[in-house]
Amino acid sequence: MKKILSIDQGTTSTRCILFDEIGNVLASAQKEFTQYFPHPGWVEHDPDEILEGVKETYNLVLNQLGLKGNDIFTLGITNQRETTILWDRNSGKAVYPAIVWQSRQSLSICDRLQNLGLKESIRSKTGLELDAYFSASKIAWILENIEGIRTKAESGELAFGTIDTWLLWNLTGGKVHATDYSNASRTLLFNIYDLCWDTELLNWFNIPSSILPEVKESSTYFGTTVSGFLDEGISINGIAGDQQAALFGQGCIHSTMAKNTYGTGCFMLMNTGGIPVNSNNGLITTIAWKIGGKVCYALEGSVFVAGSAIQWLRDGLGLISHVSETEGIASQVINSNGVYFVPAFVGLGAPHWNSEARGAFFGLTRGTNRAHIVRAALESIAYQTTDIFKVMQEDANMDISILFVDGGASSNNLLMQFQCDLLQVEVIRARYTETTALGAALLAGLSAGVWSSIQACSEVGKKGKSFIPENDRIITDVLYHGWKKAVEATINYKS
Ligand code: ADP
């Protein structure tokens, strides 16, 4: 059987996973790397440390099975999105650390464009919010703040890339400067309707087009590795941003299919097919992938605090010792006894969009105990997901009939059953958590001929437990109504 390698370069760690043709994991390795916080709100990575992590995990995977580079049939890349690197085309050295998607250092650049009244125009070209989260203001920040860099950029000596592009450049010994449509759609420089880098956007952010990578389909031949970094001669055939790769890995290849990843936060993506759906509720429109000449779009919504609320029960409150205990503790009670927890630690995202709000508990009585609090925290993850699920259906004017789930917190059965009851649709959990890495492997394998069609790819991922509604809608609607009131009160509260 052919072996397909996936490089999953995430925000806190880098993983290499080797798959076979039926989606089994043959070997995997993971390495965490340093997070730099040079100022409050800034987050940076060392681009060279990221390369080292790829090299190390690659070698670990090969050594586990005694394989050589030429045993790998093809390679796919998936990556933390939006994180920005600029490097010198001659030396290959980054001119500044990688500015991570979470970093807020370029906020003032976004404010400047907002004050010029460009927010709506930017949204109508990119499907995104004018926010420091996306790459454009990060690039502009480096050009404005690092001495000599603008001149270099203007004379064509600099290259920009998200992490996929940085890896591709290094894997190919500087021969290939490219990205895929899913990553390009997160830069705030790419017109997702015209499918090209947008001259007006480049002008507004004052970014020269010479630094931009070529945009290629997500499942296509990107280049071949050269010796020096990994082994020589491995064909690179797939690239996608992490959430889009997870959508593909979950087999959500048709319009109306949706997945939610329950990690630190939640990311829900719904495939809307060839139609870019505009949101009236603060969701974003993004490119899921482009394959075989066809662009597939997605609607995306995220929950800022999901699994991290459970970590807070452990680290902030000392209420539990391990996150996995929450299922057992919450099962000690039949419901949260009227307790609602709104974990607005950093404000509220879609569809509320309130950055001032802060977290709150409601409905506490003398009878409230630890199990109720833990249960309310788990339920808050499901309620926030429900908020997004509902507006996603409304925006797309499409019904989602199954929610495919993955991510660390999806292992919690109580949470998944509650989610299913709230949504009143089937919830299907991926059997393995590597859906993101699998997605990249599938994209690579599709173009390299391992799988014959998108349909064939969608059948590779293994389905795990399925949840079907146990409580009827009347009961869960009452609970959800209480959540709505709790959110409203949280927003209205002013300290
Ligand atoms: P990320 O990729 O964002 O780091 P993961 O997919 O690894 O996240 O999931 C980790 C998150 O899931 C943590 O925030 C953790 O609190 C939460 N989590 C893990 N297992 C459980 C569980 N059994 N119940 C509830 N939350 C859990």
Side-chain angles (χ1 to χ4, degrees), residues 12 261-265 306-308 310-311 323-324 326-327 378 381 407-409 411-412 415:
T12 55
T261 301
Y262 297 78
T264 313
S308 56
I310 309 304
Q311 290 169 301
V323 292
S324 58
T326 53
E327 186 173 337
L378 288 173
I381 301 175
S411 64
N412 190 308
L415 168 60

Side-chain angles (χ1 to χ4, degrees), residues 46-56 166-167 170 229:
D46 175 353
D48 291 331
E49 192 184 352
I50 286 179
L51 296 180
E52 280 308 309
V54 171
K55 201 170 182 171
E56 206 175 316
W166 171 244
L167 295 183
N170 282 283
F229 180 24

Side-chain angles (χ1 to χ4, degrees), residues 200-425:
E200 250 180 334
L201 290 168
L202 287 162
N203 285 339
W204 292 336
F205 284 99
N206 197 11
I207 294 172
S209 62
S210 63
I211 69 169
L212 297 171
E214 179 192 353
V215 185
K216 300 181 68 145
E217 296 208 356
S218 314
S219 177
T220 192
Y221 172 70
F222 281 88
T224 301
T225 58
V226 296
S227 62
F229 180 24
L230 305 187
D231 291 309
E232 178 172 22
I234 309 169
S235 177
I236 305 159
N237 287 71
I239 292 184
D242 52 11
Q243 298 307 322
Q244 287 93 330
L247 189 71
F248 198 72
Q250 281 274 23
C252 296
I253 56 164
H254 299 297
S255 174
T256 77
M257 295 180 88
K259 70 94 198 171
N260 192 28
T261 301
Y262 297 78
T264 313
C266 284
F267 283 96
M268 196 190 296
L269 268 77
M270 175 191 192
N271 184 326
T272 62
I275 308 163
V277 173
N278 283 319
S279 172
N280 299 317
N281 294 291
L283 303 179
I284 58 180
T285 312
T286 199
I287 294 179
W289 48 76
K290 186 176 180 199
I291 301 175
K294 284 199 185 129
V295 177
C296 180
Y297 292 92
L299 262 181
E300 175 174 325
S302 50
V303 169
F304 299 150
V305 175
S308 56
I310 309 304
Q311 290 169 301
W312 175 73
L313 295 182
R314 183 193 60 198
D315 308 333
L317 296 187
L319 216 52
I320 53 170
S321 320
H322 299 285
V323 292
S324 58
E325 287 168 21
T326 53
E327 186 173 337
I329 296 170
S331 306
Q332 293 163 6
V333 289
I334 53 163
N335 56 41
S336 70
N337 201 18
V339 176
Y340 285 97
F341 172 43
V342 183
F345 298 150
V346 290
L348 288 163
H352 315 290
W353 288 114
N354 187 309
S355 54
E356 314 290 299
R358 290 297 174 263
F361 275 101
F362 293 90
L364 301 178
T365 65
R366 185 63 184 81
T368 303
N369 63 30
R370 180 171 82 127
H372 297 129
I373 299 280
V374 169
R375 193 169 180 120
L378 288 173
E379 291 181 354
S380 76
I381 301 175
Y383 284 127
Q384 295 180 92
T385 298
T386 305
D387 287 342
I388 291 184
F389 184 92
K390 286 186 185 279
V391 294
M392 211 169 244
Q393 293 196 129
E394 193 184 306
D395 282 337
N397 198 16
M398 294 175 189
D399 285 339
I400 300 168
S401 56
I402 300 174
L403 184 65
F404 294 91
V405 301
D406 52 53
S410 74
S411 64
N412 190 308
N413 291 314
L414 183 136
L415 168 60
M416 290 303 109
Q417 186 59 52
F418 187 70
Q419 183 73 81
C420 171
D421 286 340
L422 277 178
L423 301 178
Q424 295 284 307
V425 301

